[in-house]
Amino acid sequence: MIHFVLLISRQGKVRLTKWYSPYAQKERTKVIRELSGLILTRGPKLCNFVEWRGFKVVYRRYASLYFCMCIDAADNELEVLEIIHHFVEILDRYFGSVCELDLIFNFHKAYYILDEILIAGELQESSKKIVARLIAAQDSLVEAAKEEASSISNMIAQATK
Amino acid sequence: MSSQGGWGQSKDFLDLVKSIGEARSKAEEDRIILRELEALRRRIAEPDVPRRRMKEYITRLVYAEMLGHDASFGYIHAVKMTHDNALPLKRTGYLAVTLFLSEDHDLIILIVNTIQKDLRSDNYLVVCAALTAVCKLITEDTIPAVLPLVVDLLAHRKEAVRKKAVMALHRFYQRSPASVTHLLPNFRKTLCDNDPGVMGATLCPLFDLITADANSYKDLLVSFVRILKQVAERNLPKTYDYHQMPAPFILIKLLKILALLGSGDKQASEHIYNVLGDIIRKCEPSSNIYNAVLYECICCISSIYPNAKLLEAAAEATSKFLKSDSHNLKYMGIDTLGRLIKISPDIAEEHQLAVIDCLEDPDDTLKRKTFELLYKMTKSTNVEVIVDHTIDYMININDNHYKTEIASRCVELAEQFAPTNQWFIQTMNKVFEHGGDLVNVRVAHNLMRLIAQGFSEDEEGADSQLRSSAVDSYICILGDPKLPSLFLQVICWVLGEYGTVDGKYSASYIMGKLCDVTEAHLCDDTVKAYAISAIMKICAFEIAAGRKVEILPECQSLIHELSASHSTDLQQRAYELQALLCLDCRTVESVMPLDASCEVLEVDKNLSFLNDFIQESIEKGSSPYIPESERPGMSSVSNFRRQNEASSHMLRFEAYGLPKPSPAHLIPQVSVSTSTSNLVPVTEASYYRESSQASKVPSVTDASSADLGTKLRLDGVQRKWGWPTYSSSGQSSTSSTNGVSHVDGVSAQSRDTLYDSRRQQSEVSAEKQKLAASLFGASSGKTVKRATSTHRATKGNTGNAERMAVSTAINPETSTEKAAPPPDLLDLSDDAAPTSTPTADPFQHLQVLIGATPVDNTVKAVGLESPNLMAFYTDIPSGSRKTTSTIHSAVPSIKKAPLQNDETARRVCVNPTGNNPNLFRDLLG
């Protein structure tokens, strides 16, 4: 099971956090500090895994961003490495060549996408196409709502003129 | 900049994110966020915030919370937002609450109603959003509220909903297995779902269920194998392919399940062999995902009933991993080697040098994994090398969690395979010295117990030798000013019990040492307590032996000081010691018998020795004791409490029915566990009304329902973003990853060369060969010889390696006796031990055959030197201890439970009279 997902920039700034196991706010800060100390200092040729508090943290670096997932000691690290990549590929498709800025300004979108891939710490969907389709369906409703809102305000504006 | 401007956020928000992005330090970032939170707190509380604006506020709160700040003032607004009818707002609300609320948060109860409503929605996207929230927010208490709805969704027309419903049920199972046990057959049904996504999701709960109880799912084995075959033969839709591999994530999950089902079951395993072989053959060694599947195959092979052909394939794959340049693969190789070694021990030999390379690798992760492997392959021939290396490594670790673990591993190995007592004690000393207070308390208690009970039942001589060598080494060590508290406790205890036993040290010498300990550790009450108890024991032994006890002046002042201590425990110990000194020899002997820590204490729970006293009192007119449960006043109180508890545990989640005239119906009939939907048919109208009343918030629903009428459907209208950018994604992803490697290129190269040169060096080094030989020695006779000879040259002090070689030559038959550790030792290794080594260790068998165990002739010889002492042990009278329970309880009762702290043991057993020294003296006469 995946206990949490962290996205940390190379400078140790938090870009995204998702906790599937209960951690108190204080503990979260501590975990992030501890892990960024562990992971950001590792050289490029070393393993993508770190043992930590009896768990394993699998991380992968994309440009300036580190994607980390914490898993149980018995889980398959290589698989989790691919789950990270799977997530990144979907982000990439969605944003069109994703970069750190996309994730910074649209972190809520990233959350929605993550929610379609992982649920309760398990991989729920391994097909990129299906995830993309679901996200698109949700977004189209958002767009619809936006159009509606602006048109109403237009109407009001015109009516009050 | 489409990604920044086009998403409809306000300038404020963009500015916030930007300023955070430009913040130079954590402090600056904190300042910005705090200012932002202050502003939000004001704005969010304003009346009539437009909903769109509110949505953005909440998004900003999420951002603040993500950066580690407290945004709890906004939680209620996020909860309100989930009530909204418009999907985008609802989604934002759900996203925020799943991120904000912890599992036990009070606000969750306000969302349950909304979730119920949304699960019934005819818009599948609303249902999906609700199900995602269900997985995060619904706890054991609230499961009954949504369970029937979720079960209904298993038959939803949309596969996305079915999939999420399965995952939600899985979550329920994790949280409270009892609540969903009647629904388990549903998983069998969803396993046959048409949609591969739903089938794949079902594997998650099934994996958990099979982990818990494999036998009830053996019938599914054939289906799993069939699915596996279909997946491997690319019968799933193309969209599930990942890097040219057919549905690898599903494949891996299936392999995990098969490994569980086939474990130790020959018949079941035979079904699996073919398809496993197929998968291994079909995979093309090109990508990482292939290796992930291959790794899972090896795990499966090592778990199921062994098959020679597959094992061969697994060994081949393992050696490929180990020989790879990638650290990840090496890591996996070490892991699989550890698995395979259990089945065919000789496989390790081939890879010795690779393993040693990993052991000396600069990568700490790899190193740790290798130590884990060493731990798995430890036997009595290599225990010294392995434990020495492990302790050396342990000294330099900063990570407390891991240090604790590795310390307990060392202890376990030492207990199991220790070649000599001397070595054992020294190893334990090292572990305590370097592990400090991180060592598990149980380890210390185990050590005390071990010293008290000895390794073997029949050899008293060896035991007493163990004890005196422990005493010797502790006396030496005591000079060190920086001993951890736990270790000092052990030392004090051992010195108290056995310090004077062999007559080498005088009582006053030991007592002086103990006084020094208390002086050096002024603030540690536990150590003081151990020390004063030890002094008491030594005094008792002296008095019992008929010698006069001289209390040193520093000891006297210690007693004086402790009898005025803040700690009542220390006070009591001091008073007890003083009382003891005034007693005569015979009483002391029965109060504090020598070496009785292993005797079983019989505690008279009924306090029958007080019967006479009670009888007397009753005759004098006292009223008899009435148990609490029979007292008239008490019973009603406790009953009341019980009722209260029962009702507070049950929550009603179904909406109340319409008010009816008959009052009988108003009494709540709480039966939540049965399906709520058939309980009270609630009309939709009443339901709405109740929802707005129940959650006492200014009704948002009214406003939004007004909107409903005018809502525009603009599904077909041109989208502003999204699709057009898709086409180029493939190339750009590669380019961005390429960019990474390019940036790292320089340093990577330099590292590479460095690493290579180091590697070449090490290949030649004899040092490494030697290490390999001493680790893997037993399996290849040739290397053993080399190992021992070189070992002696470099490590002159151990001498153990020498003996190893000698003993193999001389007496192989005695080694068989020693080979298996005494069974009670295994019992001692407590439950907390992280990985319990199997009792039937294949290595032991192997090593019995080879006869390579070192035998300690010296131990026996030395043990015989003190036969008179042994007589001393057996002569101790063990009767008449029952009556004097007060003092005796200070001696930890060892055989019974995990050794308790002296302190706690005392607290449990001590009579209420304990803190009154006069009465205490009266009792003992």
Side-chain angles (χ1 to χ4, degrees), chain A residues 13 15 20 42 47-49 63 76 82 89 92-93 102 104 106 108 112 116 125 138 141 143 147, chain B residues 3 9 17 21 23 66 87 91 163-164 171 242-243 288 296 328 363 365 714 721 726 733 740:
Chain A
K13 284 181 181 165
R15 295 304 182 211
Y20 295 105
R42 285 173 69 81
C47 290
N48 290 70
F49 326 126
N76 182 340
E82 291 312 295
E89 279 186 3
D92 201 64
R93 255 202 196 187
D102 290 324
I104 294 173
N106 301 291
H108 54 297
Y112 290 135
E116 290 305 322
E125 183 56 72
Q138 288 164 1
L141 273 184
E143 288 296 294
E147 293 289 334
Chain B
S3 58
Q9 287 124 347
V17 174
M66 191 174 87
L87 179 65
R91 256 175 101 210
K163 184 176 67 195
K164 285 198 161 70
R171 191 62 168 172
Y242 179 88
H243 294 193
N288 189 31
E296 209 55 60
N328 287 349
D363 186 349
T365 309
L714 294 172
W721 40 264
Y726 266 39
S733 89
V740 180

Side-chain angles (χ1 to χ4, degrees), chain B residues 478-603:
Chain B
L478 263 183
D480 189 337
K482 273 192 291 183
L483 291 178
S485 160
L486 194 60
F487 190 32
L488 280 171
Q489 292 165 26
V490 176
I491 292 179
C492 288
W493 189 83
V494 171
L495 289 185
E497 284 283 327
Y498 306 110
T500 53
V501 165
D502 61 358
K504 198 167 159 188
Y505 304 101
S506 72
S508 54
Y509 178 72
I510 301 273
M511 269 150 61
K513 282 276 179 196
L514 288 169
C515 288
D516 291 348
V517 168
T518 54
E519 262 164 47
H521 300 267
L522 281 176
C523 9
D524 194 335
D525 276 358
T526 324
V527 169
K528 273 189 192 165
Y530 267 88
I532 187 104
S533 290
I535 291 175
M536 175 153 69
K537 278 180 216 159
I538 289 173
C539 291
F541 300 156
E542 288 296 297
I543 294 171
R547 288 188 285 268
K548 196 170 161 5
V549 187
E550 293 170 46
I551 299 289
L552 303 170
E554 68 248 45
C555 192
Q556 196 64 55
S557 67
L558 174 72
I559 296 172
H560 192 70
E561 180 207 323
L562 291 190
S563 52
S565 163
H566 285 302
S567 153
T568 47
D569 176 60
L570 288 179
Q571 257 189 43
Q572 184 176 349
R573 280 170 206 260
Y575 279 120
E576 278 175 10
L577 174 55
Q578 280 171 332
L580 188 97
L581 290 175
C582 309
L583 298 176
D584 67 296
C585 143
R586 190 166 284 278
T587 324
V588 169
E589 196 177 309
S590 53
V591 167
M592 198 66 100
L594 190 55
D595 192 27
S597 54
C598 297
E599 308 294 330
V600 180
L601 276 185
E602 281 181 39
V603 177

Side-chain angles (χ1 to χ4, degrees), chain B residues 380-381 384 419-420 784 788 792 799-816 818 847-848 850-858:
Chain B
S380 39
T381 43
E384 286 160 87
T420 64
V784 163
T788 47
R792 199 184 317 164
N800 283 326
E802 241 180 273
R803 219 176 331 106
M804 212 187 291
V806 173
S807 62
T808 42
I810 298 173
N811 43 4
E813 68 277 356
T814 38
S815 70
T816 48
K818 262 265 168 175
Q847 158 258 310
V848 165
I850 301 172
T853 337
V855 178
D856 36 0
N857 303 335
T858 48

Side-chain angles (χ1 to χ4, degrees), chain B residues 413-435:
Chain B
L413 291 180
E415 279 178 4
Q416 214 169 337
F417 299 108
T420 64
N421 292 331
Q422 201 85 33
W423 181 85
F424 175 73
I425 295 288
Q426 263 161 17
T427 308
M428 295 306 282
N429 289 354
K430 267 193 239 165
V431 170
F432 275 113
E433 260 176 85
H434 301 301

Side-chain angles (χ1 to χ4, degrees), chain A residues 30-85:
Chain A
K30 201 171 152 227
V31 167
I32 292 169
R33 203 180 328 121
E34 227 172 274
L35 280 180
S36 42
L38 259 179
I39 290 171
L40 301 181
T41 50
R42 285 173 69 81
K45 281 282 278 181
L46 305 184
C47 290
N48 290 70
F49 326 126
V50 177
E51 283 179 29
W52 171 79
R53 292 197 199 169
F55 297 108
K56 283 184 292 201
V57 177
V58 177
Y59 69 92
R60 192 157 178 167
R61 184 180 160 173
Y62 292 89
S64 56
L65 208 54
Y66 284 84
F67 287 68
C68 317
M69 290 189 182
C70 173
I71 52 169
D72 287 321
D75 285 341
N76 182 340
E77 295 91 340
L78 291 179
E79 183 199 4
V80 177
L81 211 52
E82 291 312 295
I83 291 179
I84 292 177
H85 193 67

Side-chain angles (χ1 to χ4, degrees), chain B residues 72-91:
Chain B
S72 51
F73 65 87
Y75 289 180
I76 187 68
H77 297 280
V79 171
K80 258 195 259 175
M81 186 147 277
T82 61
H83 301 325
D84 204 293
N85 274 348
L87 179 65
L89 297 181
K90 195 184 264 303
R91 256 175 101 210

